[in-house]
Amino acid sequence: MSLITIGINHKTAPVSVREKVVFAPEQMSDALRELARLPGLDEAAILSTCNRTELYCSLHAPPLETDIVRWLGDYHHLSGSDLRPFVYELTDIEAVRHAIRVASGLDSLVIGEPQILGQLKTAYSAAAEQGTLGKMLRRLFQHAFAVAKHVRTDTAIGSSAVSVAFAAVTLGRQIFGDITRQRALLIGAGETIELVARHLRGAGLVDLTVANRTPERAEALAREFGARAITLADIGQVLHEADIVISSTASPVPILGKGAVERAIRQRRHKPVFMVDLAVPRDIESEVAELNDVYLYTVDDLQEVVAQNLASRQEAAVEAEEIVDVQTEHFMGWLRAQDAVELIRSYRDRAERARQDVLVKARRQLSQGRPPDEVLEFLAETLTNKLIHEPTTSLHQAAREGRTELIGAACELLKLPRLISEKPKP
């Protein structure tokens, strides 16, 4: 059995490619079941965020990377050849190390950001709910979660408020200088927008509007931050008021088009507006960037801002990588041990059958009136002979054939002194 991860992320593909392979929440159940039906595949989990889409699988047949990449393309109506330049394929130890690094925030656009751990837990729960998790992936994810907690506790990787949301607010402060006088429109009401709202409030911005498809969620977020709540349908009425627009929804189609933004700019008398699209697929049509007086940034554009906030985390990341290396080897030790489970079980079953066989004979002798000491002697001698007969026969054969490497392995396995030279016979 082997582990494999097929993925595409912010390092290997631009947002224009990543947005084509996003799995929407409502697609996840069907996608998991469909993926798990691929020949040779035993377990499956799918992680899909704005920065990455990854398929985690365990296989009982030889690696089927090509089939999995083809499935990913077919599911999203893309050809495998279109995706392959952007796809990475990791197996066994590299797949394990990658999962742990992802959970620990070491593979994120913003090193150490905590959101990915929650997203990975969501992926785990979805796979568990659909019954596509087995012993292997269940153990891998749980181990990755534990290591991520270890990394965050024992290093300073999460000591500063650095995230894509924070980077967006930082960029806004650089553009406007005094952000406290600006008005912000936040589109969406998920975790990312909540973080944006928290950072904007922390920066002193007071005038906040939250727009969401579900009014109840918008109102809940608005209450938390003293903001105004509206629906997506109302955006056109307030867009011209916003100096800052930050959007992050799960909509499969753009929410803001070029025409709507153009009308808002005219109403603003061409006063500049700063827009950040944190969604994948994008919420704001890319053509909006062509408009004068609009500063539009996507998640990919934030990398420079993000880089400026990473200095304090670099040393912590080195420490975290050391933890990851150790914990990767721990997991691989467990994984290798699984190969011996059936062997150990078979060996113990054979010993148990020998014990039961000798015990039956010993009880028969007792029932026939033989002295207990005689029966005990018979039981001990017979059981010993049964247990050591095949190993000793094999050792004799190995010695005759000069297979000193097998004898050396037996000494190590049985904790015996090495009385025979391991130098092969000429």
Side-chain angles (χ1 to χ4, degrees):
M1 182 175 289
S2 61
L3 290 168
I4 185 170
T5 298
I6 301 293
I8 182 171
N9 66 17
H10 60 280
K11 296 178 182 178
T12 67
V15 65
S16 59
V17 175
R18 298 200 307 272
E19 65 185 359
K20 294 177 181 177
V21 294
V22 168
F23 290 88
E26 61 271 17
Q27 294 177 305
M28 193 61 74
S29 298
D30 289 340
L32 281 166
R33 290 194 297 268
E34 194 175 306
L35 175 60
R37 286 195 291 267
L38 287 180
L41 196 148
D42 295 320
E43 307 172 46
I46 299 174
L47 172 65
S48 189
T49 74
C50 61
N51 280 328
R52 71 181 66 244
T53 291
E54 294 179 337
L55 313 178
Y56 294 84
C57 309
S58 74
L59 314 165
H60 64 260
L64 303 171
E65 295 97 330
T66 303
D67 291 344
I68 298 173
V69 173
R70 185 183 301 114
W71 176 85
L72 178 62
D74 289 346
Y75 191 90
H76 293 287
H77 309 293
L78 301 167
S79 71
S81 59
D82 289 339
L83 284 181
R84 185 155 293 281
F86 307 102
V87 169
Y88 45 89
E89 303 165 359
L90 307 169
T91 57
D92 296 329
I93 188 170
E94 292 306 321
V96 172
R97 179 180 286 108
H98 180 76
I100 296 174
R101 293 186 76 252
V102 169
S104 302
L106 292 170
D107 196 58
S108 297
L109 174 62
V110 181
I111 292 179
E113 59 94 3
Q115 286 74 39
I116 188 62
L117 180 58
Q119 292 164 334
L120 199 60
K121 288 181 176 179
T122 298
Y124 172 85
S125 298
E129 185 177 330
Q130 294 305 316
T132 62
L133 279 188
K135 181 180 181 180
M136 196 76 67
L137 286 185
R138 193 179 299 275
R139 179 69 176 250
L140 174 61
F141 278 99
Q142 290 173 351
H143 187 68
F145 299 155
V147 177
K149 182 178 180 182
H150 182 190
V151 166
R152 195 156 294 277
T153 301
D154 292 0
T155 74
I157 199 164
S159 60
S160 56
V162 182
S163 65
V164 174
F166 182 72
V169 174
T170 300
L171 185 56
R173 294 176 70 174
Q174 292 176 356
I175 290 174
F176 290 105
D178 183 8
I179 203 172
T180 61
R181 300 181 181 181
Q182 311 307 316
R183 292 178 293 184
L185 169 63
L186 307 183
I187 304 174
E191 187 176 0
T192 298
I193 289 298
E194 183 177 346
L195 282 171
V196 169
R198 198 173 303 282
H199 289 310
L200 285 173
R201 274 282 184 250
L205 190 145
V206 176
D207 195 336
L208 276 175
T209 299
V210 178
N212 194 52
R213 190 178 307 279
T214 306
E216 293 77 14
R217 178 58 184 152
E219 289 166 3
L221 196 59
R223 281 195 300 271
E224 183 176 355
F225 295 101
R228 174 175 50 161
I230 63 173
T231 66
L232 296 184
D234 297 325
I235 289 177
Q237 302 172 28
V238 302
L239 185 58
H240 66 281
E241 300 174 359
D243 305 299
I244 298 171
V245 178
I246 301 178
S247 185
S248 179
T249 77
S251 174
V253 296
I255 289 173
L256 283 181
K258 182 179 180 182
V261 177
E262 204 165 17
R263 287 191 294 274
I265 289 296
R266 285 198 297 269
Q267 288 179 275
R268 290 173 60 81
R269 299 180 182 274
H270 298 278
K271 181 181 177 183
V273 58
F274 168 57
M275 308 183 85
V276 181
D277 189 350
L278 298 178
V280 178
R282 284 174 281 193
D283 284 338
I284 303 173
E285 286 184 350
S286 57
E287 291 79 7
V288 169
E290 300 169 3
L291 297 174
N292 292 328
D293 306 311
V294 174
Y295 298 91
L296 174 61
Y297 295 83
T298 68
V299 286
D300 288 353
D301 297 323
L302 297 180
Q303 294 195 48
E304 184 178 345
V305 177
V306 168
Q308 296 171 7
N309 295 287
L310 292 180
S312 65
R313 296 195 176 192
Q314 294 306 319
E315 185 176 344
V318 173
E319 297 174 20
E321 293 286 7
E322 293 174 358
I323 294 173
V324 168
D325 287 343
V326 171
Q327 292 299 328
T328 296
E329 188 51 43
H330 282 181
F331 184 86
M332 292 306 296
W334 174 84
L335 195 59
R336 287 189 290 268
Q338 303 314 297
D339 294 335
V341 168
E342 287 303 319
L343 175 64
I344 293 170
R345 183 179 292 117
S346 176
Y347 184 67
R348 292 182 66 90
D349 288 345
R350 188 173 70 180
E352 176 63 19
R353 287 193 299 271
R355 185 186 74 87
Q356 290 290 349
D357 180 55
V358 176
L359 189 58
V360 168
K361 293 177 180 178
R363 284 172 172 163
R364 186 183 303 125
Q365 290 180 11
L366 284 174
S367 68
Q368 292 171 351
R370 292 187 64 178
D373 284 348
E374 256 184 58
V375 175
L376 285 174
E377 189 69 30
F378 164 80
L379 188 149
E381 182 179 356
T382 305
L383 184 57
T384 300
N385 288 336
K386 278 182 173 287
L387 293 177
I388 70 173
H389 172 70
E390 289 187 358
T392 54
T393 299
S394 296
L395 283 171
H396 277 299
Q397 183 68 24
R400 284 195 298 271
E401 296 173 356
R403 299 175 62 189
T404 54
E405 76 288 346
L406 179 58
I407 294 173
C411 290
E412 184 175 349
L413 185 65
L414 301 174
K415 306 300 181 187
L416 298 174
R418 293 174 181 263
L419 301 178
I420 299 177
S421 171
E422 292 189 26
K423 183 178 179 181
K425 291 183 179 180

